[in-house]
Amino acid sequence: MKKKFAINGGISFGSKLNARQLLTIAEYLEENQELELTTFQQLYVELREDQEEKALQAFKEAGLSVYPVGNFVKSLRTCNFCKGSEEEGMPVAKEINARIAGRPVPFTVRAAYTGCAVGCGEPLANDIGIMKIKDTYNLYVGGKAKGIDAQLGTLVLEKAQPDQLYQAIDRVIDLYAEEGKKREPLAKFVHRYGIEELQGLFR
Ligand code: SF4
């Protein structure tokens, strides 16, 4: 039996893989096996049960990040940090990713981060969006890029410092994990819970 995993090169300047990482992945693919490239800066790879442990260790050693596939928070999608790591808050993005990626939730959660107001990471079109503006961070929730009911996320926290931001994101995910219905998307949950109530949690 095979199990699907999502992998990428972690949070850095753009979504890139180096030659060693590509070779490591290829080692665990059968000749005609395909690798699926998702829209969320992840590759899906299917591993046989008997090769899983060895492959995951090899991926880790090659500097790849591995995440579960399904009803979990996905790894954080980011912009390319074109103005530099510190200025665009890459350490904050890494911390957010470490805290939330892979957390079990009622339905897949997409979170996106962008280092300035240009918004290349498309934070407003995702379940959870973070936008760095000068030295502070805005948090948006409930964005939805797909479907005829596509919508932008709503600002629930403005001009936050990193610690406030981490706590607010944790709170949103905790709430959704506890009170969201099975397969209820976060955007739907947020409206059922009430945007004002949600904003009130962070005042
Ligand atoms: S969002 Fe800003 S920092 Fe990030 S890639 Fe776009 S322009 Fe550069």
Side-chain angles (χ1 to χ4, degrees), residues 124-177:
L124 271 74
N126 284 276
D127 294 302
I128 294 175
I130 302 106
M131 184 180 277
K132 183 171 190 282
I133 300 180
K134 296 193 175 146
D135 291 328
T136 61
Y137 298 83
N138 283 1
L139 174 63
Y140 303 83
V141 297
K144 185 175 182 296
K146 295 195 292 187
I148 52 169
D149 55 347
Q151 62 188 33
L152 295 179
T154 306
L155 182 67
V156 294
L157 181 69
E158 195 172 13
K159 296 184 180 169
Q161 291 302 312
D163 280 343
Q164 281 177 289
L165 177 71
Y166 303 147
Q167 282 168 21
I169 296 171
D170 284 343
R171 190 84 197 271
V172 170
I173 294 174
D174 286 346
L175 197 64
Y176 176 50

Side-chain angles (χ1 to χ4, degrees), residues 79-83 88 114-121:
C79 71
N80 289 348
F81 301 99
C82 71
K83 295 178 189 127
E88 308 310 333
T114 210
C116 80
V118 173
C120 302

Side-chain angles (χ1 to χ4, degrees), residues 40-58:
F40 219 71
Q41 299 176 337
Q42 292 184 331
L43 292 168
Y44 282 166
V45 60
E46 288 192 341
L47 297 172
R48 286 197 323 266
E49 217 171 350
D50 63 322
Q51 62 178 177
E52 200 178 297
E53 199 182 333
K54 201 171 161 218
L56 295 183
Q57 183 60 29

Side-chain angles (χ1 to χ4, degrees), residues 2-192:
K2 285 185 175 175
K3 190 169 163 191
K4 199 183 265 190
F5 293 89
I7 53 180
N8 63 26
I11 291 175
S12 188
F13 297 101
S15 191
K16 296 172 186 162
L17 295 178
N18 61 35
R20 181 183 169 200
Q21 290 167 338
L22 288 170
L23 286 168
T24 306
I25 297 166
E27 239 181 82
Y28 293 92
L29 296 181
E30 285 156 21
E31 204 173 302
N32 294 318
Q33 193 179 338
E34 293 175 331
L35 198 58
E36 184 182 343
L37 173 62
T38 75
T39 54
F40 219 71
Q41 299 176 337
Q42 292 184 331
L43 292 168
Y44 282 166
V45 60
E46 288 192 341
L47 297 172
R48 286 197 323 266
E49 217 171 350
D50 63 322
Q51 62 178 177
E52 200 178 297
E53 199 182 333
K54 201 171 161 218
L56 295 183
Q57 183 60 29
F59 291 168
K60 199 172 152 199
E61 283 166 14
L64 291 161
S65 298
V66 182
Y67 304 99
V69 174
N71 292 331
F72 299 95
V73 180
K74 281 187 165 289
S75 54
L76 188 68
R77 177 180 172 179
T78 64
C79 71
N80 289 348
F81 301 99
C82 71
K83 295 178 189 127
S85 160
E86 290 302 321
E87 194 179 345
E88 308 310 333
M90 196 194 290
V92 170
K94 285 185 174 172
E95 176 65 23
I96 294 168
N97 189 56
R99 293 170 86 109
I100 68 172
R103 285 196 54 185
V105 277
F107 193 63
T108 311
V109 167
R110 293 171 170 79
Y113 176 99
T114 210
C116 80
V118 173
C120 302
E122 302 174 351
L124 271 74
N126 284 276
D127 294 302
I128 294 175
I130 302 106
M131 184 180 277
K132 183 171 190 282
I133 300 180
K134 296 193 175 146
D135 291 328
T136 61
Y137 298 83
N138 283 1
L139 174 63
Y140 303 83
V141 297
K144 185 175 182 296
K146 295 195 292 187
I148 52 169
D149 55 347
Q151 62 188 33
L152 295 179
T154 306
L155 182 67
V156 294
L157 181 69
E158 195 172 13
K159 296 184 180 169
Q161 291 302 312
D163 280 343
Q164 281 177 289
L165 177 71
Y166 303 147
Q167 282 168 21
I169 296 171
D170 284 343
R171 190 84 197 271
V172 170
I173 294 174
D174 286 346
L175 197 64
Y176 176 50
E178 282 161 20
E179 298 189 24
K181 294 178 189 164
K182 201 174 173 204
R183 295 194 60 78
E184 178 183 35
L186 180 62
K188 209 166 166 188
F189 168 74
V190 161
H191 288 283
R192 181 167 65 79

